[in-house]
Every structure is written in C-alpha cells, then in structure tokens.
Amino acid sequence: MSINDTPRLRSAFPSSPQTPFRYNANARSRPAPQTSQAAAFPSKKTQEAQDGPIISLQVLDAPTQRLYVAALYAALTAWRLRDWWSVRDELDSTWCFMKWLGIDFVFILGIPGLRIPWLEWSFSTSAALILLHMIADVVLMFQIPIPLGTWIAATVRLLYHREISISERKVKPADILHNASLILGKQIIHILPEGSAILNPENRPFCIDTSKPTADLPIRINQTSPILLELLRTDPETMDSEVLVINSRQAKSLKKLAEKTTKAEPHEPLTLLYQVKKTGIYQLQKVVDESKLEVQRIRSDVFIPPCPIAKVTTEKTEKCKGDLSDVRLEVSGIPPFSVKYSKYVNQHDASASSQTIYPPGLESPLRLRQSSNALLDPRHVDLLWARKWDTDVPINELLSDVGEWSYDVEEIQDALGNVISYNGRGRPTDQKQRFNVHERPMIAFRGCSAEKPLKVAKEDSAELPVKLDFPQTYEKFQAITFNYTLIPEGADGQAKQARSFTVQRPSQRPRIKDPGRYTLESVASDYCAGLVSEPSNCFLTNPPEPELSIKAEDVADQCAGRPIGVSVDLDMVGTPPFKVRYTISREGRTRSYTAEFDGLRGHLDLKPPEAGHYVYEFLGIIDEVYGEVPLKGSQYRLTQHVKPPASAAFKNVRGRRACLDDSVSIDLRFVGDAPWDVEYDIVHKKQRKPFNAHAESGELTITTPPLTEGGDYIVILRSVQDNSGCRTSLNQELEITVRPERPKASFGFVEGKRSLSALEGQTVNLPLRLQGLPPWELEFIREDDSPQRAWKETFYDSNAKVAVKKIGTYQLTNVHDSCPGTVDPDGNRFTVSWVDRPSMDLVGPGLVANAAGKFQKESICQGDEDSVVLELKGQAPFHVQYQQQQRPAKGTGAVALKDLTVATSKSTVMMDSSKAGDYTYRFQKLTDSRYAINDKHKPITLQQKVHALPTARFEKSGETFTYCKEDTSGNDLVPIVLEGEPPFSVEVGIIHHGHSKPEVIRLKDINSRYWKWSLPHRGLEFGTHSVNIRKVIDARGCERSLDHDPSSIRIRVSDAPTIIPLENQQDYCVGERISYSLSGQSPFEIFYNFQGRERKAIEYSNTFRRIAEQPGKFTISRMSDSASGKCKAEKDITKFIHPMPTVRIGKGRTSVVDIHQGGEADLFFEFTGTPPFEFT
C-alpha cells in the first residue's frame, strides 16, 4: 500500500476518477524548456485548463458529460444500423465501410482529447477500439454472416456447463471446485501514511524580467494541512539571505485556492502556488502541519534568475558584396546559453542556426545535477555560476548576394531551461538586425583603345565611350562617380589633367573633345568602391576635313570621232571610306548618284546610253568622321554633247533550255541610228555557223535553226552597223542548253520480271523507271478493262511507283516532262495477280463427312485421348481459331474459343473428353503469314460424342456390418448401384485389419443396374475390414478406376469389450475427473459400486469419464458393448475419492485492523483436512 493511499470507510462509494496530477517526486531530469509568452509556472486557471476536462466540470459535471458521449455513441450506432439495412450492392458496401471507418477513427481518437474522467483511455486502447469497430464495419457493411447460434450455444454452455458425476446426475464443476465454504474469513490492515512537502516537484524553470515581474512557486503537499511554511532566499549577486514566512492564514488561503482549482480528492496531493517577486535561490526550509509537527521535506532548490536576453548588433547598415557580415550576437543571463537565430536574404529564409555559448572557465552545478535537486552546498557556498553574465559572439559570413539581409534572434535558452522566444508580432528591434548589401560597379572603355582611337571632328565633341555595369539594386538607381585623366596630344605625362563625373541616370556620359589619351582611374557608387577593367585607355584624335579634286577627259568614238562619254579621276583627302554625290542631267531631267571609294583615289566612267546634251555635277563628299562637305565651284561642273555609237544586245542574257529538234527565238535591242545590220554566230561543239539580220526599229527577234543535237549552243553577237556606216564590234554571248535526248519511261523489274503476286485486296506499287527531268506526266491503261480508259499521274522521282488495286495487265502509253518523250516498247506492260489464300482440311481415322458437309468422328469414352489432323495450305506459320462447344448429358453447356499457331503444313488438335456429352468443333478462322485477315475462309464443323464413364457404389454408404468372432454363420447382402451400359464388371477390394494390401474380388456379368452382393464372413479376423469398389467396366468398354471409394463399407469383427483406466493413480480429490478408455462396439454399459450402491452407466463414446462430487469408494464390476450382446466382461477396478481441505481466517469473520507505518498485527488460521497444508 502506498503512503499516498488514505484509508476510506468500507461503506463509502468509490471516488470518481479525476485527471491525474502527473506528480513525480523522484524526478531529477530537467523538464522541457518553457517559452516566455506563457508564465514560467502556469496560473490557477491555466493549470485547471491544462489538467481538467475541455468542458469545465463547473459547467457540466463528469457523469453528465459521459451521458452525452454515450447518447452520441448510441445515435451513431443507430445510424450505422440504418446504413447496414440500406446496403444494396458492393459499391454501397465500400462507401459505407469507408465512411464509418473515418467516423469511428475521429470519434475514438477525439473522445480522449476532451479529457472526460473515465474516458481518457490510452493510445493502445484507442487502437484496439478502432480495430474492433473496423471489424464490425466490415461484418455489417459487407453483410458477412455471423454464427450467432454457435456463439450463443457456446456462451450458454460456458454459463450453464454441467457434467455427469459418479452418482449419475449432472452437476456444475464450478460449484465443486470454487466452493466459498472452503475459505472463510477476511482481515483488512490499514497502514496510515505520513505527510510530505516538496518545492517545485516538476523542476519547472522560472525567471523574472520587466514583462514578467512575478513567478508562482509550486509547493506540493501530500497527506498534510500545513499551518506554517518557511522559504529561504539567497541572492547570488550579494550573497545575502532572507527568510520568507507563510503563516497559517496565508497557508489556508493557498490550500483552499488549490482545492478549488484542481478539484482534487482529500487523499490526493495538492500544489500551492506562492508568488515571489525577487530573483535568487529559494529553499523550502520548514513545514509545520496542524499537529504542530514538522512535515517531511524533500530537498529541492529553485533558482529564479533574470530572464535571458539576446540581441544582434552591427556597426554599418550599408555593406558591399564580397564583404563580411560583421554582426555580433550579444547575450545576457545565466550561462551556458543556447541561441537560435535565422538569416533572411531578400525576405527569403536562407538558413537557421543554433549556437551554444559557454563562457570559458565556468563550472556550473546545473550541468552535473542528476541525482539531487540541491543547488546550495552548506559546506562550500560558491554562487559565481549563478550570477548574470554578459557576453557577445561575432558572426562573420561572406555577403555573396545583393539585397536586404536580416539576422533575427528566434529564441534564447539559459542553463535552467528558461526559453525566451521572439517569434511573436511584437519582436523587439534589438532582436532583429537589418542591413543592405550593394553590388560593386564596374567600368571600362568600349570601342576605344590604344590600337583603335576615337576619331572626332574638329570643334565637335563625343560621349566618353565607357561601359558601366550598374549595381543590381533593390530600391532605386544609385549615382556612380568615376575619375579619369587626360594627357593632351603632344604633351608628356606631367601635363596630366584629372577629371571626375557622376552618373545620375544609366544613359548619362560625359562629353569630350580635347585630343589626347584618356585613362580611367577609379569608380565608386554611393556605398561601394568599384573595379576598373581593361581597356582603361582611350585616344581621341581630330582627323582633317575631307577634300576632292577632279580631272575629266572626253571619251570619243574611234570611227565617227564624236564624244560618247567622259572619264573622271578623283583625288580625295580625309578619312576613308568616302562617298561622292553627283548628278547627271539631260534635257531637264536629273538623276542623282552616289559613288563609294575605300581609298584616297577613285575613277568614274560616265557613258550615257542615249544621245543628247548632258551636264555632270559633283555636289558633295563624305568621309568616316565628317558629314557631307559641299563642293562649290565651276571645276565640279562638266558639260558634254553625247552621241553614242551603234550597239546591239540581248534583251535577256539568261541561259535558255531547249528540247531536241526545237528552234529557239531570241530578242535583240539596238542603240544608234536606224536601220541596223547585225552579225552573229551559233557555236556548237567545234562548229561555228555565221548568221546576219537586218532591223528597221530598235528591237528584233531572231530564230535559230532546229537544234538536232544535244549539248550547249552559244549565240555570239559579232558586230553591228547603223546608219552612220560605222561598225561596232560586239562580244556578248547567250548560252542555249539542248537536252541530249527526249524523256523515256518503262516499268521496272521485280525479282527479274515485270509481274508480281500480292495479297488480295492489297494496294500494289508498280516500279517505274523514268529518264529526263522531273516532273514527269505518265499515261496508263488497264488492258483488262472494257472499255479501256486511260488515266494520268505526275511523278517527281525517277524511280517512282504507281499504286494499283486491281489484278490484270497495266500498259504505259505516254510520257512527257518539259519535253515530249517515248515509252520503251519492251517495258510498257506489267502484270499483277493475287496470292492464293490459305485453306484447311481434316484427316484422320474414324473421320466421316456427312451429307451436310460436316465431319463426324467416332465416339470415345470420357477421359480417352483422341485427335484430328489439320492439313493446311498456304505460307506458314498458320493461325487457326476454332470454337469448341460442349453439350453435356446433364447440366448447361459451355462454349470456348481457342487459338492455335502452326509452324508446319500439318497439326494435331486434341479432342476434349474431360466431360461426357456432345462436342462440336467449328474451325472458323484461318490465317497465315501472308493473310493476317482471311474473310473468305469457309468454316469447317467437326462433331464427336463422349460417353460417360460407368459408376458403381454401395447403396448403404459408410455402413458398418458387425458380428462377433464366434458367429460364423450366414452372409450379409450388400446392394450395389451401377450406372452405365450393362452388362458390368466390378472389381471389389477388401483391406483386412492390420494389412495394407487389399484382397481383390472380381464380379462379372452383372446385367442389372441394381445388384445385391453376398458378403461372406469366413476368413475375416478380429478388427475392422474396409470394403470398397476399385474398378467398374460397362458394355461400351468404358472403364472407371476408383482410387478412393466414398461409398465404402466396413466389416467389424469384435470380441468382448475392455475397459482400461487412463490414470495410474488410485486416490482422487473431490472435483477431479476419473477417466477410462473403452474398447468394443458402442454404446457401452458400465456397472459400478459407489458409496455402497450399485449403479449402471451407458456411454456412447470410447471414453468413460465422471467428475467426483463426493468422497467415497468407486469400483467398476463389469461392462458390455453392443457387439458382444449379453456377454459381459467381469472387472474389478477400484478408486478412492478424498474430501477437499478448508481454512478459516479470524474464526471465519471479517475484521479491520488499523496500524501505523512500522507497526505489527496478528493473523490466525484454522485448517481441516490431511496435514501438512500449503496455502498462499
């Protein structure tokens, strides 16, 4: 009995269970850390909310809550039964099962969460309840039958179990074995406990700060009502001590408040909450109860320190990429500390870290306090570890990303387990440090270097060609300042000029115009210094302005001596390339031209094609640096009267293509005074033929003679003469390509011939052989058509194919591409034929075809093997699909569809003889490797009859024929029932007792289906002999062999019965069972004597068992069985039955004895029976 169990009156009702207080007085491990949002120790209302039911007992008492839960469960059960009654199919069953599995899961796991007394079961109990409800849901929703009758019978048998006793009446074994009169009396001993008190029994951490100025110290009392409590407080900073006294009035008030809050029973522990406002180490120094005696105190010190504090600091809030974070973590409190902080980059959680901070050289008893809760050692008082420590830890990380960085302190925990969390909305600013990380700017010259200077016109300026990589900022554009120097052109390094420029927007650049060398020195943004990349030097030069001088000379006709144009030489000054803009005017019409030159000198030949007065004027010049410079003065204006010489040219100088034997027409255009005479040549291979033509107007069309050979023909204009009489030599050519031959077409070969066989109904592609240039247009006819009808198709491949879908001979009649062609007479025909479809035939012995075209096979017996051979024609492998239809003599038939793959031209199909009846085989589909679909196959039908095997059985199945060994007269008639076609032959086997090999008897010429067999008795020894039918044959020759005959009979040859005790003992106690083994033919008659009376028992099994209900002498005198008849076996088997022992405690009465802890009490026992005795 525990010291916490207060004695209660025997007549009192058991107390209603309350939520356990979860007290552990011997716990020494430090509890889990507590957060600072809640108080270090819960208040009275908080304690009641945590330990009591969700619905307060003041609102609704525990029995009412349990009644409501029971009512809810009853309603759910009624709903469940309604769903069970409405289930109609498997879909309803599955849905209802899943629904009720979820409802039971929520209900069973949800009830413990309400913390209702008596309903706070453990997790294992919840799992067991869920399993039981799941089984019930499966049984109900899937309507699984339940053996209620068997269960009720077993329950009734368990509750009302009776056995036959030796006196041949039914008794209840429990009344004999569990007789209450055997053990009488009861003595109850109450051991009264002593009271105890402990400070902070659960080792909860406490701390005090400005947000939490007080702490409630828990003092747990057990079996006592204190009237005085003294607490000793020691200040670790000053080492001063003071005693806090809780007087009787305060103690009663604290106890009354604790009883009201927890609703505890009188014998249960109470926790008093005493409020303190100062930090320090508290000890429970003295506790006095109502008897003016000190209560036992369990040593447990409580240290209430200042709450720990952590914050993050940094000196600069603007940093640059690549720098270190330079952040410091400052902590204050009782070490060692555990600090959790998070790092955020651009408001994304980058990492979370935890650090343990332990000042070097500090030895704290908090790390070693395992077996004792004492913090103060009277022999050595050193509280250096309990003083407040202030320290900081640097955090240096590489700033690799640009944006807003933030280090946030999540929580801090001190050595006592006090946890201060800063995750709430009101996070202090000291616990969150933000700073910005900026990108470093970069600068370099772009498109300008020492090898490629920047050229700028005089008195003009240009933007400094710098490339700036602006920082990727997250707020706004940052101004960038860069410094550069200038060394003027022609000056030395001492004349260096320093300059600076600030970029206020991304496109802004300084403008420069002074020639010299510019050098980038540095670049920086508002927060970060940048990098200067190469090229960092740029040269600026002022090239000279462009100038032009021209020199012109007339170009005269050598025959007529008149000008036909002007030749102009141009000399330029400036920076190439140059563009010269000029105009040519004639009779008021002016056209502008621009000539481009890559060097400082150029040349222009201006020869107008028509006669007239021309003015050539040069307007301006442009170089790479300067814009257009106007050209003024008469030297830039030239005039001339032009009369061009006679000329002729092709209007279209592109090459021509012609067909063989065709003529080609060519258009000419003339310049000069009409009329004109033109001479031209036509050159082919090594032959040149001259021709001439006369033209009255400015255009003329000439026609070549027929071009009879293939190849290239060149038409060359040799000369032309106009009305002036001057002949002008010409050298213009026009090429005419003549195809060497006309297009030609024929059918191609397939395996060396112009014919092929294809699958019937398949599209056939006939090969073509085409010569010429694509596309070709061909004309076909099918000679088997009547009337014949031609069709045309266009092809783009010289080895094209024409698709046809009909058999017959196809003729190619015409072909042409861009030129008309010829058809090869030896290859203008192609023949298409169909491949033969696969076919099948049935062959084999005993196969006859009837008038209806169906095949009939000889009848067979059930289980016999038979087959038919399929002869197949076509291309292997073959695929045969046939339908097997069975019509049994009894029952419903069956249809099966079977597939057969055959790799040769013959295959064997096994006939089905597993069941008796008529079988029909219909071979309805046949395909081979060529025809995957053979719609024209005619099904073949094969029929066969399968006879049922004969059967034979004993009409009196399982009957046992018995007789005594001495009785050898007479024979028994055993009826045999047969099925099949008579006459029958039957083979019977007799397995004698003790032998494994049967004796075989053959019965022949049985002409009836019902026959009685005379079973002889002679030759049978003692024991049981098994007789079974082994084989039966009918007139059809069908044979059935029986490995196991279910209708077998037995012949039992017996002698006088025997009885043997199953136990070797002679002495039994009341309540034990006496058992015997019986040998013979049941039922048995047993004659015995008990307590001086002769009795008879009838037993139908091979075991005779009786329970001993009374003491006495039990003797079996004789017995008989049903086989031995009136002959009885004389026996003399005697057993002795003894009474059970008894005991009385305290003279058989109930008594109560109260003793204090450490006291003694006497117990008096009285025994009856045969000593020595053993009891527990």
Side-chain angles (χ1 to χ4, degrees):
M1 181 179 293
S2 173
I3 62 174
N4 298 329
D5 295 335
T6 302
R8 299 178 57 86
L9 294 176
R10 294 186 297 273
S11 61
F13 289 102
S15 59
S16 178
Q18 302 294 326
T19 302
F21 195 76
R22 300 175 180 89
Y23 170 73
N24 187 1
N26 297 323
R28 291 293 183 264
S29 59
R30 187 168 20 170
Q34 306 293 326
T35 58
S36 66
Q37 272 80 14
F41 188 82
S43 63
K44 302 174 181 61
K45 294 183 178 180
T46 305
Q47 182 69 26
E48 180 182 1
Q50 292 179 352
D51 295 341
I54 296 297
I55 303 175
S56 175
L57 297 178
Q58 297 177 353
V59 177
L60 200 64
D61 57 10
T64 304
Q65 294 189 30
R66 291 193 290 269
L67 178 61
Y68 287 163
V69 171
L72 176 60
Y73 184 79
L76 292 177
T77 303
W79 186 13
R80 190 195 317 268
L81 294 177
R82 177 185 175 275
D83 285 353
W84 165 73
W85 184 259
S86 60
V87 167
R88 292 294 180 268
D89 51 26
E90 186 175 351
L91 182 62
D92 292 343
S93 300
T94 304
W95 160 243
C96 291
F97 169 71
M98 298 302 295
K99 178 181 74 173
W100 281 107
L101 184 61
I103 293 174
D104 293 338
F105 188 86
V106 173
F107 179 81
I108 295 174
L109 293 183
I111 291 301
L114 298 177
R115 296 200 292 273
I116 301 174
W118 291 359
L119 297 181
E120 293 184 271
W121 45 68
S122 63
F123 177 76
S124 59
T125 304
S126 299
L129 290 175
I130 291 176
L131 179 60
L132 292 176
H133 281 74
M134 183 176 66
I135 295 174
D137 291 339
V138 170
V139 171
L140 289 176
M141 300 310 161
F142 290 96
Q143 296 184 347
I144 299 175
I146 304 175
L148 293 178
T150 304
W151 292 355
I152 293 173
T155 304
V156 171
R157 181 179 179 185
L158 179 63
L159 296 178
Y160 302 98
H161 177 56
R162 298 290 186 272
E163 290 187 22
I164 301 177
S165 66
I166 296 177
S167 59
E168 290 301 317
R169 65 187 185 90
K170 291 188 176 181
V171 296
K172 190 173 183 181
D175 295 340
I176 301 174
L177 299 174
H178 306 288
N179 192 351
S181 63
L182 300 178
I183 301 177
L184 298 176
K186 181 167 62 175
Q187 189 164 341
I188 301 173
I189 300 176
H190 289 165
I191 301 176
L192 301 179
E194 291 185 2
S196 62
I198 183 174
L199 181 63
N200 192 20
E202 298 181 2
N203 287 333
R204 295 183 179 179
F206 301 93
C207 67
I208 293 177
D209 59 7
T210 55
S211 63
K212 187 174 53 179
T214 62
D216 291 333
L217 279 182
I219 305 172
R220 179 169 291 176
I221 61 174
N222 186 29
Q223 304 297 334
T224 185
S225 297
I227 60 173
L228 177 66
L229 296 94
E230 290 184 359
L231 297 174
L232 177 64
R233 185 187 76 86
T234 302
D235 190 344
E237 301 290 341
T238 62
M239 298 302 295
D240 295 336
S241 299
E242 65 172 329
V243 177
L244 305 178
V245 179
I246 303 175
N247 55 30
S248 176
R249 184 178 60 83
Q250 293 176 325
K252 291 181 180 180
S253 177
L254 294 176
K255 182 180 179 183
K256 183 177 179 181
L257 181 60
E259 292 175 346
K260 180 179 178 181
T261 303
T262 61
K263 300 289 185 181
E265 293 295 328
H267 68 280
E268 293 183 351
L270 287 176
T271 301
L272 310 181
L273 300 179
Y274 180 68
Q275 191 177 83
V276 296
K277 298 181 180 180
K278 296 181 181 180
T279 60
I281 300 176
Y282 289 83
Q283 294 177 300
L284 187 59
Q285 185 169 277
K286 185 177 182 182
V287 179
V288 180
D289 63 2
E290 293 176 341
S291 62
K292 304 296 182 67
L293 298 177
E294 287 194 20
V295 178
Q296 178 186 0
R297 291 174 288 107
I298 300 175
R299 182 70 181 275
S300 178
D301 300 343
V302 180
F303 182 21
I304 303 180
C307 293
I309 301 175
K311 61 182 179 179
V312 184
T313 61
T314 185
E315 295 181 357
K316 298 189 302 181
T317 59
E318 304 294 338
K319 304 177 187 292
C320 299
K321 184 179 180 180
D323 292 346
L324 295 178
S325 58
D326 191 20
V327 174
R328 305 192 71 81
L329 185 62
E330 297 181 0
V331 295
S332 175
I334 306 301
F337 305 96
S338 178
V339 183
K340 294 182 181 179
Y341 64 91
S342 299
K343 179 179 70 176
Y344 295 89
V345 178
N346 294 327
Q347 298 182 354
H348 296 288
D349 190 358
S351 65
S353 303
S354 177
Q355 286 196 8
T356 300
I357 304 173
Y358 193 89
L362 175 65
E363 295 184 1
S364 175
L366 299 175
R367 305 183 64 192
L368 305 175
R369 191 171 59 153
Q370 298 177 356
S371 61
S372 175
N373 285 340
L375 297 176
L376 294 179
D377 187 356
R379 297 169 298 177
H380 179 69
V381 180
D382 182 10
L383 297 181
L384 179 62
W385 58 271
R387 295 177 183 175
K388 182 179 179 182
W389 287 67
D390 296 327
T391 184
D392 60 3
V393 178
I395 301 175
N396 282 319
E397 295 180 326
L398 183 65
L399 304 178
S400 57
D401 296 321
V402 176
E404 182 186 61
W405 286 54
S406 174
Y407 284 86
D408 299 354
V409 178
E410 303 293 341
E411 68 177 27
I412 180 174
Q413 178 180 340
D414 63 5
L416 288 97
N418 292 298
V419 178
I420 304 299
S421 177
Y422 303 105
N423 288 329
R425 295 184 178 178
R427 184 196 300 267
T429 56
D430 291 341
Q431 278 70 39
K432 187 172 185 177
Q433 184 62 54
R434 294 182 180 178
F435 56 87
N436 300 322
V437 178
H438 304 276
E439 186 74 73
R440 295 180 181 272
M442 295 182 64
I443 191 170
F445 282 115
R446 179 173 57 186
C448 181
S449 62
E451 295 77 13
K452 187 178 180 181
L454 178 64
K455 298 178 181 180
V456 180
K458 295 179 180 179
E459 304 301 328
D460 200 359
S461 64
E463 286 188 350
L464 187 67
V466 293
K467 177 185 178 183
L468 277 171
D469 289 339
F470 293 95
Q472 301 296 323
T473 60
Y474 51 87
E475 294 179 352
K476 59 181 180 179
F477 176 78
Q478 294 183 17
I480 297 178
T481 302
F482 62 90
N483 300 318
Y484 63 97
T485 59
L486 167 65
I487 299 177
E489 188 176 14
D492 55 10
Q494 300 297 328
K496 181 184 296 186
Q497 302 176 9
R499 300 182 182 181
S500 178
F501 186 78
T502 300
V503 180
Q504 300 294 341
R505 57 183 184 275
S507 61
Q508 187 179 10
R509 298 291 186 275
R511 300 194 69 84
I512 56 175
K513 67 177 182 177
D514 298 332
R517 185 178 72 179
Y518 291 84
T519 303
L520 296 174
E521 300 294 341
S522 63
V523 63
S525 64
D526 293 343
Y527 306 107
C528 303
L531 301 175
V532 177
S533 302
E534 296 296 333
S536 60
N537 295 319
C538 177
F539 287 86
L540 187 145
T541 60
N542 295 133
E545 295 184 0
E547 297 180 357
L548 175 66
S549 60
I550 64 174
K551 182 178 179 181
E553 187 174 285
D554 289 341
V555 178
D557 186 4
Q558 295 180 358
C559 176
R562 53 192 180 189
I564 60 174
V566 62
S567 177
V568 183
D569 293 327
L570 299 90
D571 295 317
M572 293 161 283
V573 176
T575 304
F578 298 93
K579 292 183 180 180
V580 177
R581 193 165 62 86
Y582 64 94
T583 60
I584 300 178
S585 302
R586 172 179 176 269
E587 297 177 358
R589 293 179 296 176
T590 302
R591 299 185 64 180
S592 297
Y593 301 91
T594 299
E596 297 183 2
F597 305 96
D598 294 331
L600 299 177
R601 183 173 177 80
H603 179 78
L604 290 176
D605 287 328
L606 305 178
K607 295 180 179 180
E610 298 180 358
H613 184 74
Y614 289 86
V615 176
Y616 312 99
E617 185 174 2
F618 293 88
L619 304 179
I621 183 172
I622 304 170
D623 68 355
E624 185 182 20
V625 178
Y626 294 88
E628 182 175 353
V629 177
L631 301 177
K632 298 181 180 180
S634 58
Q635 67 270 23
Y636 298 112
R637 182 181 176 87
L638 304 176
T639 60
Q640 186 181 39
H641 186 76
V642 176
K643 195 169 184 180
S647 176
F650 296 110
K651 293 182 67 175
N652 188 356
V653 297
R654 291 182 299 178
R656 304 286 184 87
R657 290 185 178 274
C659 297
L660 195 64
D661 296 332
D662 287 350
S663 298
V664 179
S665 297
I666 303 172
D667 295 331
L668 301 178
R669 183 177 61 237
F670 297 95
V671 175
D673 296 334
W676 293 271
D677 291 321
V678 62
E679 296 179 350
Y680 62 95
D681 294 339
I682 297 178
V683 179
H684 176 59
K685 295 182 179 179
K686 294 183 179 180
Q687 297 180 359
R688 180 188 292 265
K689 293 183 179 180
F691 295 92
N692 54 62
H694 180 77
E696 294 294 336
S697 63
E699 293 183 356
L700 177 67
T701 299
I702 60 176
T703 302
T704 66
L707 306 177
T708 58
E709 295 183 4
D712 294 333
Y713 290 81
I714 300 176
V715 180
I716 303 174
L717 296 180
R718 289 190 301 151
S719 63
V720 63
Q721 179 179 350
D722 63 356
N723 191 34
S724 63
C726 293
R727 183 173 296 275
T728 302
S729 297
L730 304 176
N731 192 24
Q732 191 174 13
E733 299 179 358
L734 177 66
E735 184 178 359
I736 300 174
T737 301
V738 179
R739 291 170 57 180
E741 60 182 7
R742 292 181 178 275
K744 190 175 181 181
S746 66
F747 285 110
F749 290 97
V750 176
E751 297 180 356
K753 54 185 179 181
R754 289 187 173 92
S755 64
L756 61 81
S757 297
L759 300 182
E760 185 177 350
Q762 188 179 31
T763 300
V764 181
N765 294 317
L766 307 183
L768 299 174
R769 297 296 178 262
L770 305 176
Q771 298 178 6
L773 298 177
W776 293 271
E777 186 177 276
L778 278 70
E779 185 178 282
F780 302 90
I781 62 173
R782 180 171 172 267
E783 294 180 354
D784 298 331
D785 290 342
S786 180
Q788 291 185 348
R789 185 175 56 184
W791 80 92
K792 296 181 179 180
E793 291 191 28
T794 302
F795 303 93
Y796 295 86
D797 186 5
S798 60
N799 295 304
K801 296 180 179 180
V802 57
V804 297
K805 294 184 178 181
K806 297 180 180 180
I807 60 174
T809 300
Y810 292 86
Q811 181 180 353
L812 179 59
T813 58
N814 192 12
V815 59
H816 70 83
D817 52 7
S818 57
C819 300
T822 59
V823 177
D824 185 1
D826 295 331
N828 65 340
R829 285 178 172 81
F830 201 103
T831 303
V832 178
S833 59
W834 295 139
V835 176
D836 293 337
R837 291 182 176 270
S839 61
M840 177 179 62
D841 196 8
L842 302 181
V843 296
L847 193 65
V848 178
N850 56 22
K854 298 180 180 180
F855 289 88
Q856 188 73 33
K857 196 114 173 42
E858 290 181 349
S859 301
I860 60 176
C861 295
Q862 182 178 354
D864 290 350
E865 292 186 357
D866 195 8
S867 63
V868 65
V869 177
L870 300 182
E871 285 191 351
L872 304 170
K873 295 181 180 180
Q875 183 68 32
F878 300 91
H879 181 76
V880 180
Q881 186 181 78
Y882 64 94
Q883 183 187 71
Q884 176 181 317
Q885 183 178 3
Q886 175 194 4
R887 290 192 300 272
K890 296 180 181 180
T892 58
V895 177
L897 193 64
K898 297 185 178 182
D899 294 324
L900 180 66
T901 301
V902 183
T904 60
S905 60
K906 289 187 178 181
S907 178
T908 301
V909 177
M910 302 302 298
M911 314 302 288
D912 189 0
S913 61
S914 59
K915 295 181 180 180
D918 294 327
Y919 286 82
T920 301
Y921 302 86
R922 180 181 175 83
F923 298 89
Q924 52 191 16
K925 288 187 179 181
L926 173 63
T927 61
D928 60 359
S929 61
R930 293 172 176 172
Y931 285 91
I933 300 175
N934 188 9
D935 297 334
K936 297 185 178 180
H937 169 70
K938 294 181 179 180
I940 299 176
T941 301
L942 172 64
Q943 295 176 341
Q944 186 180 40
K945 186 177 185 62
V946 177
H947 297 295
L949 297 180
T951 63
R953 60 181 176 84
F954 292 111
E955 185 181 31
K956 298 180 179 181
S957 173
E959 185 173 348
T960 301
F961 298 87
T962 61
Y963 63 92
C964 295
K965 176 63 178 175
E966 293 76 11
D967 184 12
T968 58
S969 61
N971 291 330
D972 293 328
L973 294 179
V974 181
I976 300 177
V977 179
L978 300 105
E979 291 182 3
E981 188 69 23
F984 300 94
S985 295
V986 179
E987 185 178 289
V988 179
I990 302 177
I991 301 177
H992 298 288
H993 180 72
H995 296 78
S996 59
K997 186 176 181 180
E999 177 187 353
V1000 178
I1001 299 176
R1002 293 178 175 83
L1003 308 176
K1004 299 181 179 180
D1005 298 330
I1006 302 174
N1007 296 315
S1008 173
R1009 292 186 176 91
Y1010 186 83
W1011 184 64
K1012 292 183 180 181
W1013 175 43
S1014 177
L1015 180 64
H1017 291 172
R1018 294 182 180 181
L1020 301 179
E1021 301 296 334
F1022 288 119
T1024 302
H1025 306 267
S1026 178
V1027 181
N1028 54 71
I1029 297 175
R1030 296 167 50 86
K1031 186 188 298 184
V1032 57
I1033 305 173
D1034 66 355
R1036 299 189 184 103
C1038 296
E1039 176 182 327
R1040 180 190 294 272
S1041 297
L1042 301 176
D1043 296 332
H1044 172 70
D1045 183 10
S1047 67
S1048 63
I1049 60 175
R1050 289 174 177 84
I1051 303 174
R1052 178 173 297 168
V1053 181
S1054 60
D1055 202 354
T1058 60
I1059 180 168
I1060 301 173
L1062 293 179
E1063 298 93 3
N1064 294 328
Q1065 66 190 70
Q1066 295 293 326
D1067 297 312
Y1068 291 84
C1069 296
V1070 172
E1072 294 183 339
R1073 293 168 178 82
I1074 305 175
S1075 302
Y1076 299 89
S1077 175
L1078 306 179
S1079 175
Q1081 180 68 36
S1082 63
F1084 300 92
E1085 292 183 352
I1086 299 99
F1087 300 89
Y1088 63 91
N1089 183 282
F1090 180 64
Q1091 293 181 343
R1093 291 180 56 188
E1094 292 293 335
R1095 305 173 189 268
K1096 184 181 75 170
I1098 299 176
E1099 183 62 45
Y1100 292 90
S1101 65
N1102 291 331
T1103 301
F1104 175 63
R1105 176 179 298 176
R1106 293 295 183 265
I1107 187 169
E1109 62 167 333
Q1110 295 176 0
K1113 181 180 178 182
F1114 177 72
T1115 303
I1116 296 179
S1117 57
R1118 61 187 182 278
M1119 69 170 294
S1120 64
D1121 64 352
S1122 59
S1124 59
K1126 298 181 180 180
C1127 297
K1128 296 180 174 61
E1130 298 295 333
K1131 304 292 180 182
D1132 186 12
I1133 304 174
T1134 303
K1135 304 290 183 181
F1136 298 95
I1137 303 172
H1138 303 280
M1140 297 181 68
T1142 63
V1143 64
R1144 293 196 303 171
I1145 305 173
K1147 297 183 180 181
R1149 296 188 297 269
T1150 300
S1151 61
V1152 178
V1153 179
D1154 296 335
I1155 64 172
H1156 292 282
Q1157 191 172 4
E1160 295 180 354
D1162 295 330
L1163 298 177
F1164 180 71
F1165 298 91
E1166 296 177 286
F1167 299 97
T1168 62
T1170 305
F1173 299 96
E1174 293 182 3
F1175 68 97
T1176 57

